Amino acid sequence: MSIENITKEGWMNSVFPEWGTWLNEEIEETEVPEGNVSMWWLGCTGIWIKSHEGTNILCDLWTGTGKRSHGAGNMKKGHQMMRMSGCQELQPNLRVQPFVIDPFEIKDVDALVVTHIHSDHLDINTAACVHHNCPKAKFIGPQEVVNTWLEWGVPKEKTIVVKPGDSVKVNSITVKALEAFDRTALVTCNDPEEILKGKMPQDMDEIAVNYLFETSGGNIYHAGDSHYSNKFAQHGNDYKIDVALGAYGENPRGITDKLTSIDILRMAESLNTEVVIPVHHDIWANFMADPNEIVMLWQFKKERLNYKFNPMIWQVGGKFTYPQDKGVIHYHHYRGFRDVFSTDNDTPFPSFL
């Protein structure tokens, strides 16, 4: 090693992705207990689901970054945040979380499933890696998501367009598409010159869906970037939902883009879920929120409102197995050292300890 040999490229290759293949290896080696389903949080709303039978579904994995320069200090013309609020200044959405999985080492994915058109959910690097590493994998999403994949070069025969009410069987897991409630997606338009005011909105079913993943170990509801909707209650009536994931965040002034802590609790109650897990709050510097607020409000309200669910506060890169971990409130990464003193320690004398 010499300081004369250090380069920016070498530095990036030596530290990125920050977790290397640690999580790739863990997922590959995990044997899910019978009657259970395991999932890992990959950051933002990215989830890896693995069934007892060995079916692997990757949902919404995003491998990009937020702002990397102040630039001219202005919002990109036509951006959905500009459209909804009339703001002009640059949105300071820096990526906060490290990359916990190496997309180029992804293996054994049976389907890549994407909720909607936004680039922090629909990712070209993920699409390329799944296409090349998992040649039999299906690409499942609403029409405009599939259109984007086709533009990127994903073969049409690999893609499956879904709309609310559709079901796709992926080995041992059934993927059901349900209505999405993402009003931010409705004001997303690729043409910065197009004016949306006074026009009919886009068809939500073409650009976004929520999903229910039905497995032998339990059913997982992924709400994508949906805002709170009274229709959650209909989904809770129509389907058995065991675990629900919602896009939580602290909305900046004049912006409504994420579920609040109260919204998360209302969503869980409406869906009749057993467990509710906030996601997305981890990733953007300007939307970060403390999920402990959800726990505090749940504790305050659960007796009076007779809540039948509990929140689970996750950490990115962590595994959650249902129903094995059903009662866990706060996830913590494995702390290690379970084999202390399994061999003789080596210190100069015992008082060192």
Side-chain angles (χ1 to χ4, degrees):
M1 297 288 289
S2 167
I3 61 171
E4 301 304 324
N5 298 329
I6 299 299
T7 64
K8 185 174 183 178
E9 182 180 19
W11 167 67
M12 289 190 292
N13 288 335
S14 67
V15 303
F16 185 83
E18 292 92 335
W19 281 32
T21 59
W22 177 280
L23 193 58
N24 301 71
E25 296 165 23
E26 177 182 321
I27 294 171
E28 184 177 359
E29 294 167 4
T30 292
E31 294 185 7
V32 180
E34 187 173 357
N36 286 262
V37 58
S38 291
M39 56 184 180
W40 289 261
W41 187 16
L42 309 178
C44 199
T45 66
I47 303 292
W48 187 303
I49 299 172
K50 187 172 187 177
S51 73
H52 160 69
E53 296 83 358
T55 301
N56 291 279
I57 289 183
L58 186 58
C59 181
D60 277 14
L61 173 60
W62 173 59
T63 65
T65 66
K67 296 296 184 293
R68 301 179 66 184
S69 168
H70 287 270
N74 295 322
M75 184 79 77
K76 179 182 177 181
K77 185 178 179 181
H79 189 276
Q80 55 268 24
M81 296 297 178
M82 175 184 284
R83 291 186 187 273
M84 72 166 63
S85 69
C87 65
Q88 301 294 314
E89 292 184 0
L90 187 71
Q91 179 190 186
N93 58 326
L94 301 165
R95 181 179 175 127
V96 177
Q97 280 292 344
F99 289 86
V100 296
I101 195 165
D102 186 339
F104 289 88
E105 298 300 325
I106 283 175
K107 302 176 184 177
D108 302 323
V109 169
D110 297 295
L112 173 61
V113 179
V114 168
T115 57
H116 67 288
I117 55 173
H118 285 151
S119 58
D120 54 344
H121 303 257
L122 175 57
D123 179 76
I124 191 170
N125 298 298
T126 301
C129 294
V130 171
H131 169 62
H132 291 299
N133 296 357
C134 313
K136 295 182 179 180
K138 295 298 183 182
F139 288 67
I140 302 171
Q143 184 66 65
E144 289 303 318
V145 166
V146 170
N147 288 347
T148 300
W149 280 329
L150 296 176
E151 289 174 6
W152 290 344
V154 176
K156 186 175 182 179
E157 60 270 19
K158 286 190 171 187
T159 65
I160 299 175
V161 176
V162 292
K163 61 184 183 303
D166 290 345
S167 292
V168 179
K169 187 71 173 178
V170 181
N171 297 339
S172 66
I173 297 178
T174 298
V175 180
K176 290 189 173 179
L178 306 175
E179 295 93 344
F181 317 113
D182 185 356
R183 293 185 294 277
T184 304
L186 290 179
V187 294
T188 299
C189 178
N190 290 330
D191 183 356
E193 302 301 326
E194 184 173 348
I195 303 300
L196 302 184
K197 187 173 292 187
K199 295 181 179 179
M200 290 295 293
Q202 302 177 71
D203 184 348
M204 181 79 83
D205 296 347
E206 297 283 311
I207 60 178
V209 293
N210 292 354
Y211 289 105
L212 184 66
F213 300 98
E214 295 182 335
T215 82
S216 61
N219 298 339
I220 300 165
Y221 182 94
H222 195 303
D225 267 359
S226 286
H227 302 93
Y228 183 77
S229 171
N230 293 333
K231 286 275 284 185
F232 280 135
Q234 183 176 353
H235 291 175
N237 290 346
D238 293 346
Y239 304 97
K240 183 181 186 299
I241 297 170
D242 297 299
V243 181
L245 299 106
Y248 169 59
E250 196 68 66
N251 293 300
R253 180 174 178 268
I255 296 292
T256 298
D257 185 57
K258 299 289 180 284
L259 296 165
T260 67
S261 52
I262 289 293
D263 293 332
I264 288 286
L265 297 180
R266 293 186 70 200
M267 181 185 79
E269 183 180 29
S270 293
L271 291 173
N272 290 323
T273 189
E274 300 278 345
V275 180
V276 64
I277 304 177
V279 291
H280 214 320
H281 59 91
D282 66 299
I283 205 74
W284 294 125
N286 61 326
F287 278 89
M288 287 189 71
D290 187 344
N292 288 308
E293 179 181 321
I294 297 169
V295 177
M296 292 174 63
L297 286 170
W298 172 74
Q299 291 172 333
F300 180 78
K301 297 162 72 75
K302 65 178 180 176
E303 303 296 339
R304 185 185 313 179
L305 299 184
N306 197 28
Y307 283 157
K308 303 298 185 184
F309 64 89
N310 67 266
M312 200 285 288
I313 308 307
W314 222 350
Q315 292 182 25
V316 175
K319 179 174 74 170
F320 178 78
T321 298
Y322 181 89
Q324 174 182 291
D325 301 330
K326 177 180 173 181
V328 173
I329 304 296
H330 293 277
Y331 174 87
H332 200 296
H333 290 301
Y334 172 58
R335 299 175 69 201
F337 299 100
R338 62 186 169 197
D339 61 340
V340 292
F341 297 110
S342 59
T343 62
D344 288 339
N345 63 300
D346 181 22
T347 57
F349 37 83
S351 61
F352 260 75
L353 306 180

